[in-house]
Every structure is written in structure tokens, then in C-alpha cells.
Amino acid sequence: MILIPTTIAKNSPLCFSSTMPPYIYELPTTGAFSFSEALIDQSGLHSTDFANATAARANVRAILKDSKRTGDVEKDNLRIIKALDDYLPHLVSVMTAVSAQTLTLRTDPVFSWRSTLSSHLFNSSPRMNFVSLHSDLAFTLLTYGFTLSNLSASVVTSLGTYEIERHITDVERQSKDERLNFAANLLCKASGIFTYIAENVLPEWEVASGPLTGLPPDLSKEVINALSKLALGNAQQLAIRRLMSKSAYDSTISPGPPLPKSHPSPSLVAKLYINAEELYSSSRGLLLSANSEKSEVDAELRRHVGDQATLCSALAHKWLGVDAGEQSGKCGDAVAYLKWAKEELEGLRETKLKLTSLSKDNRKERSERKDRFTYEVDLVKNFLDHYQRLNDAVHFLPVPTTSEVQSRIPSGRAALAAKPFSLPRPKFVVSPPPTVTAAAATESSSENENSTEEVMTETQHERKYDGAGAYF
């Protein structure tokens, strides 16, 4: 059941939008690099492949640089993703050949990238140099995950609050539901990419180069795992929104208790929010553990993750309260949960208002943030007042303390999972040069001959006894 508070108009763009604005990643930029200058090809057959790899990377560099000059809404995220998709097979080809020693590095490759997750006093993100092909792969995939997350945010923004449009048709709503699913899938893919960096790229880099020291937060295993959980938490919230899109529309027509028939189980909604809160809390813990005197994660990112955790916790308690209130004999629990949710939301609202008063946000943005939390607080108040009156007039049940209902909170439930990521197939394959192949064949033949002679000698030695070779 969704109530429309009288303090907010039904056509407000904030209605039924319990999620906060997504975190928009600043995309890193990179310096120029030439594979032709860094690699030695003994076969002399791959100069064109090296030139194509250099061109593909230069295209990524140019597009990322161009994205710095545009606003978040104007960035062509699909264009960036395509450029990254085009470059990755080239990079995989080079790394595979170097690992197989069919290509030789002329010098240690140096790649420069900007760290965009570091706390810095000035607006410009620090540029750093990294000596490894693995560093370029890590930053390329990191940029891929950032861009997928930003693309998801732009898709969600384009949908508006379609759930409450009074004249929307079922076909139109279903179409926008699918777009919401698409946005959630982008986040699941981003989560899988972040996990791949943390579990595969960084360990392989360490094996190849030794202990990794002096890296920015962007390349910290804890931070990257935190980003994976953040993306999955965002996807979980979009899944909840998709689940409730029909009931949100129905509630604009007949708001108030009881719940509309199209409304999903409040218990299920609560468990989904509990899972989202767990993901955000885990992400926040990882970000805090990654901080050190020399390297600190961007404060805005840490604050965003913490606020998301608090919001999902409050919404979980809200729906646990509604679920208890809809059951006979549990009005006392309903009041306790809803009071708890109200306190969390009011605390979050006050914190956000203090921060926005100190920020450079314009008056319209500050007003929207205030209305967003005021709207959700008013929803909880409506539920609380209803079940409080019902308990006082009919049930007369004691209201448990927060610690008492806390012990009865169920486990969370995941609606979505990260999509496993794997690297693309190499764009080109570097075969060993003919001289190396011939030498290897000669060496192998010599080893076989020596091995045969050793076996024959041992056999002759073993047969030097009376009756050797005779069978009875």
C-alpha cells in the first residue's frame, strides 16, 4: 500500500522514487602509448596489428578526453563502451603473446592514467604512471565498469516517474519496465567486471610484477570489491522498483490502506531492501578499510554508499512494519518498526540538508532533495498513524523496543546477481618464429633419442642374469 501525503502533489516527479540519485563516476583519462615502440616482433609479420592496437587505444583516449568537456547527461556512454570493446581484444592479444614469449618487450611499458576515486584538494584528478600491461587492462576494465554504471543512471533518468503517470497504457508501462530491467542488467554486468579485476587482474599483475605498492584507491582490491557491491546494491533497488511499478500506479488511483491487490508481499519487499542494505554496508566497510594516510577514497563516494545503506535500512523497517500491521495480532510490532524507520529517515534528511546547504547545488536541487526525503517520511508517518490508531482502539498490544524487533529481522533476499565477466578472444595471434620452432623440434628430437638410448641400456642391464629372457 502506498499513501500519497497531502504535503506532496500526486504529479510530483519525486513520488514513488525511494532511491537517491545515483553516483555518477568521473571517467579517467589516459596518456598516449605506442605498441610498435614497446614491442619486438621477431617474425616481422605483425606491424599492422601493432598499429591497429595503437589506433584502438588512441580512440579510447580521444573519446575519454572528449567526455571531460561535456556534462554528465550529454556523455555518449554507448560510444565509450564501443571504443573499449574495440580495444580490449587488441590488448588481450598483446598480453597473451608477451606471456607466451612470442612477443618481447623492448622496454617496460609505461601507461599513464588519472585516478578519479582519490580524495584530492583540487578539482583535477591526479595523473599517475604505471609500469605494466596489467595496469592498462585494470584501468580499461575499471573505465568499462564506470561507464556501464553511468549508462544505467542515464537510462533510469530518462524513464522519469512513469509508474505514476495517470494516462500511461499497460503497453507503455511494460516497455518502460523492460528499460528498467536493462538498466539493472547493466549494473549486474558492471558488478561482474569489478569482481573480475579484483579476483583475476590484480592477482595476475602481482604474480608478474611482484608486490603491488603505491597504487591509488582505484586499484585497491578492497575498493574495487566495494564498487562491485555498490553496483549490485543499485541493481537490487531497480529490481524492487520494477516489482512495484504496477502497484505504484494502482496506488495513485486508490491510495491508503488496505494494500492494492497488485502490491507485492510487504515481507518480500522488506527482504529485498535488507539485502540491498547488506550490500551497501559491506561496500562502505571495504571503502573505509582501504583508507590510509597516503591514499584516501573520495569522500563523496563514501558518503553516498553510507546514505544508501541508511535509506535501504529505513525502507526495510518500513515494509516490515507494514507487513506486521497487515497481520492480526502484530500491530505493536508494526508501530515499533515504523517508528524506527521514521527516525532513520528523519536523521538522513537532516544530514542531507546540512550537506546541501554547504554545497554548490542550486536552489532547485536543494529543494528536490528536501522534498524527496520529506515525501518518504510522510509516507511512513501515514502508515504509523494508521496502525497506531488501530492498536489504540482495537488491539491494545504493547509496543516492543527497537532492540526487541531488531532481533526478529529476517535474512535478506537477492533479486539479482552479478554477471560473470570474461575477457574477449584475442584480436590476433602471434606464432613463434620459424627459427624458434625448428630449434624446439630439434631439441625435442634429441631428447627423444637420448631417452630411447637410456631405456635400451637399462633393459640390457636388467637382462644380465641367468635365464634372462626365457619364459616358462
Side-chain angles (χ1 to χ4, degrees), residues 10 13 21 57 60 63 79 92 125 176 179 190 211-212 216 228-229 249 269 308 313 324 349 390 397 431 442 462:
K10 289 186 180 182
R57 192 179 189 283
V60 170
I63 291 175
R79 182 166 168 251
V92 170
S125 302
K176 294 195 174 185
R179 292 285 292 166
L212 304 178
S228 176
K229 294 181 182 297
Y249 171 78
V269 176
Q308 289 282 21
S313 174
R349 178 178 62 179
L390 190 62
L397 294 170
S431 302
T442 302
E462 290 174 355

Side-chain angles (χ1 to χ4, degrees), residues 41-107:
D41 174 24
Q42 296 179 359
S43 69
L45 302 175
H46 297 282
S47 57
T48 300
D49 293 326
F50 295 167
N52 291 339
T54 301
R57 192 179 189 283
N59 188 41
V60 170
R61 176 175 179 260
I63 291 175
L64 289 176
K65 188 176 181 180
D66 184 61
S67 73
K68 288 285 186 183
R69 305 189 185 99
T70 60
D72 293 333
V73 179
E74 299 174 2
K75 289 180 180 176
D76 190 350
N77 293 300
L78 287 172
R79 182 166 168 251
I80 298 173
I81 290 171
K82 185 180 184 306
L84 295 170
D85 278 334
D86 290 343
Y87 171 57
L88 275 172
H90 292 280
L91 180 57
V92 170
S93 299
V94 171
M95 294 184 69
T96 301
V98 170
S99 177
Q101 298 183 349
T102 54
L103 280 181
T104 306
L105 291 171
R106 193 184 308 275
T107 58

Side-chain angles (χ1 to χ4, degrees), residues 149-434:
S149 299
N150 289 354
L151 176 59
S152 174
S154 66
V155 170
V156 172
T157 301
S158 70
L159 292 175
T161 51
Y162 69 95
E163 305 98 310
I164 61 169
E165 293 176 6
R166 298 296 293 270
H167 303 292
I168 191 172
T169 65
D170 287 342
V171 173
E172 290 172 335
R173 188 180 64 254
Q174 290 170 6
S175 175
K176 294 195 174 185
D177 283 346
E178 288 303 314
R179 292 285 292 166
L180 202 61
N181 285 341
F182 172 66
N185 286 333
L186 289 172
L187 291 168
C188 291
K189 185 175 181 180
S191 179
I193 290 175
F194 292 137
T195 299
Y196 183 87
I197 299 171
E199 296 184 356
N200 294 273
V201 179
L202 295 183
E204 290 172 6
W205 183 1
E206 192 164 19
V207 169
S209 304
L212 304 178
T213 58
L215 297 180
D218 313 53
L219 296 179
S220 161
K221 188 173 183 179
E222 292 81 6
V223 171
I224 296 174
N225 277 323
L227 298 180
S228 176
K229 294 181 182 297
L230 170 58
L232 203 53
N234 291 342
Q236 181 84 345
Q237 288 207 71
L238 293 184
I240 297 171
R241 180 178 173 184
R242 166 66 180 84
L243 177 67
M244 299 180 66
S245 68
K246 180 65 168 66
S247 61
Y249 171 78
D250 292 342
S251 295
T252 64
I253 299 173
S254 57
L259 295 171
K261 293 181 179 180
S262 59
H263 199 288
S265 163
S267 175
L268 172 61
V269 176
K271 290 176 182 178
L272 294 173
Y273 272 119
I274 290 170
N275 177 262
E277 186 274 331
E278 291 169 348
L279 288 167
Y280 288 127
S281 294
S282 179
S283 177
R284 176 174 54 185
L286 288 167
L287 291 175
L288 292 175
S289 68
N291 282 339
S292 66
E293 294 181 359
K294 296 182 180 180
S295 178
E296 185 172 326
V297 182
D298 180 58
E300 184 180 349
L301 175 59
R302 288 185 280 118
R303 185 165 53 245
H304 174 82
V305 174
D307 289 346
Q308 289 282 21
T310 302
L311 177 62
C312 288
S313 174
L315 294 176
H317 299 150
K318 164 191 168 181
W319 289 111
L320 286 173
V322 174
D323 182 57
E326 294 295 306
Q327 303 178 45
S328 60
K330 288 193 175 182
C331 259
D333 285 12
V335 172
Y337 277 122
L338 290 166
K339 282 185 176 179
W340 189 4
K342 178 173 170 288
E343 291 173 0
E344 288 178 301
L345 288 168
E346 288 178 336
L348 184 58
R349 178 178 62 179
E350 293 304 314
T351 300
K352 299 301 290 183
L353 289 178
K354 288 179 182 178
L355 290 173
T356 53
S357 65
L358 298 174
S359 70
K360 297 180 180 180
D361 294 338
N362 60 40
R363 183 177 301 177
K364 179 181 178 181
E365 291 173 334
R366 288 197 294 268
S367 176
E368 287 181 352
R369 290 188 183 186
K370 177 181 178 181
D371 286 347
R372 181 180 300 109
F373 290 105
T374 299
Y375 167 75
E376 196 59 55
V377 169
D378 287 341
L379 285 179
V380 172
K381 283 182 179 178
N382 283 355
F383 283 120
L384 177 58
D385 291 344
H386 173 74
Y387 294 122
Q388 183 77 67
R389 288 194 301 268
L390 190 62
N391 193 49
D392 292 344
V394 179
H395 299 290
F396 309 106
L397 294 170
V399 177
T401 63
T402 298
S403 59
E404 289 174 330
V405 293
Q406 187 175 16
S407 64
R408 298 197 285 271
I409 291 179
S411 300
R413 179 173 173 179
L416 299 169
K419 291 185 179 296
F421 175 80
S422 59
L423 291 174
R425 297 180 62 180
K427 186 74 173 179
F428 58 90
V429 177
V430 181
S431 302

Side-chain angles (χ1 to χ4, degrees), residues 27-50:
L27 300 183
T29 54
T30 183
F33 182 83
S34 171
F35 287 100
S36 301
E37 296 178 1
L39 298 170
I40 298 175
D41 174 24
Q42 296 179 359
S43 69
L45 302 175
H46 297 282
S47 57
T48 300
D49 293 326
F50 295 167

